Amino acid sequence: MKATPVLEIFGPTIQGEGMVIGRKTMFVRTGGCDYRCSWCDSAFTWDGSQKAAAMSAEAIYDKLKETGGEAFNHVTISGGNPAMHPGLGDLVELLQQHGIETAIETQGSIWNEWVKEIDEVTVSPKPPSSLMKTDWPRLDRYMEELQPRRDKALSLKVVVFDENDLKYAIDVHERYPDVTMYLQVGNDDTATPQVEKLRDHLLAKYEWLTEKVLQEERLNGVRVLPQLHTLLWGNKQGV
Amino acid sequence: MKATPVLEIFGPTIQGEGMVIGRKTMFVRTGGCDYRCSWCDSAFTWDGSQKAAAMSAEAIYDKLKETGGEAFNHVTISGGNPAMHPGLGDLVELLQQHGIETAIETQGSIWNEWVKEIDEVTVSPKPPSSLMKTDWPRLDRYMEELQPRRDKALSLKVVVFDENDLKYAIDVHERYPDVTMYLQVGNDDTATPQVEKLRDHLLAKYEWLTEKVLQEERLNGVRVLPQLHTLLWGNKQGV
Ligand code: SF4
Ligand code: SF4
């Protein structure tokens, strides 16, 4: 039995971003990340500020049912980088056995076979503002592994803070033109407790990003989205 | 040559709602509707307040290119009820020939064969608060026509203003359980020019709808979304 470090299990709530936006889902947030993005909005998963519990697939499943009851049929596995953990393969299988769909988001740096079994995979390579460097050949192999899956969905997501990030997003889109691409406004104020102020600020940034995309012929096929949970609940954790 | 009454052609902008949310798209808004929803947010398409131009498919296409240039590859056909107009079949064909994808939203009351050719069809039956009555056998036939399409997407969307509408949404979801369903917050203030006030009001309503859905076991598979363009630009027409 392979245990997985888990930081929080919560929901049901609404998936606030990306390809599954608006979907009612539970969240399992794992600890640990091979990246250190400058603007990471879940740094508590790797900076030592919160302690993870080592949990088996069965224990995670039990906790999901205890928390969400019968009011969900979808689970989002989030991090950190959840694709680091081999033990999650058992969880995905267990959820499938119970007819529960799964989604994951990962930067595409570490491969585990079970990622293939996830219904909705979002690969989110990190733009220059993160201060991380993309290993392109590795990302190519990641996308190759995921592209031939039947009845399962794949998307790319790039968080955009500035013009440089936007250039990076264009590179990603041109490299994988057949994969649906989401652009997301970066939240540059992950500390403020003031929801209304944050809301107006982020919608102004969303409008900026929208305008850029509308003018850019190389981004005709993309989708631009805000983070709905941040608009609703600000920077609160566990919602 | 069958002409279609067109009220506005604009874009590129962002699709603010439903299954194509966030996608960069052009809009063609047709005149005329067989419904008279109490809260219609595009009553100008049928109440005589604005005059439609009779346009051929070619004229619509030329106007799209004149307005959007090379900065789009997706067109949303909107209304009114666009499915009323037989002449749009030629437009859809013309757009396909140019590699441009199409989306439509219709209440599912009037069938035209060309609807089958649309890449993303949103069928949006109207809940009790609209004061319209759903013709269920007719809607059944509509859904049957659209379900076997390959490589094309179908969704249902119900706008929810109150508890009664939510009950209606559950009925729709249980009647067509295999079709992805979107719930959307109704905009009950289509007149105010104050964007910030409207924004906070609509997000409060979105939170209310979200809470309801999260508790409701019969709505496990649905997606709940706000209208992004209204959050950004309020009640302005043509954005
Ligand atoms: S990859 Fe994600 S979790 Fe890891 S540091 Fe970057 S933003 Fe944070
Ligand atoms: S079906 Fe749509 S366009 Fe027609 S009256 Fe109702 S809301 Fe308005």
Side-chain angles (χ1 to χ4, degrees), chain A residues 59-134:
Chain A
I60 296 171
Y61 179 77
D62 290 348
K63 178 74 179 172
L64 281 166
K65 290 308 283 184
E66 187 193 316
T67 312
E70 297 299 317
F72 72 95
N73 63 10
H74 189 273
V75 171
T76 304
I77 304 173
S78 170
N81 182 3
M84 292 171 67
H85 307 294
L88 288 175
D90 295 343
L91 176 65
V92 174
E93 211 183 307
L94 199 55
L95 291 170
Q96 277 174 347
Q97 281 162 14
H98 288 88
I100 297 171
E101 288 182 277
T102 49
I104 198 177
E105 180 177 329
T106 176
Q107 63 266 45
S109 53
I110 298 177
W111 178 253
N112 252 304
E113 273 300 307
W114 60 262
V115 176
K116 264 191 186 155
E117 300 302 319
I118 300 275
D119 295 295
E120 292 128 354
V121 178
T122 298
V123 178
S124 58
K126 302 303 170 189
S129 65
S130 71
L131 307 182
M132 299 295 110
K133 263 191 85 76
T134 303

Side-chain angles (χ1 to χ4, degrees), chain A residues 205-220:
Chain A
K205 296 209 63 162
Y206 178 59
E207 191 169 6
W208 167 81
L209 181 56
T210 298
E211 288 303 328
K212 290 285 173 191
V213 169
L214 294 181
Q215 288 156 23
E216 178 52 71
E217 294 175 12
R218 289 168 297 175
L219 291 173
N220 281 350

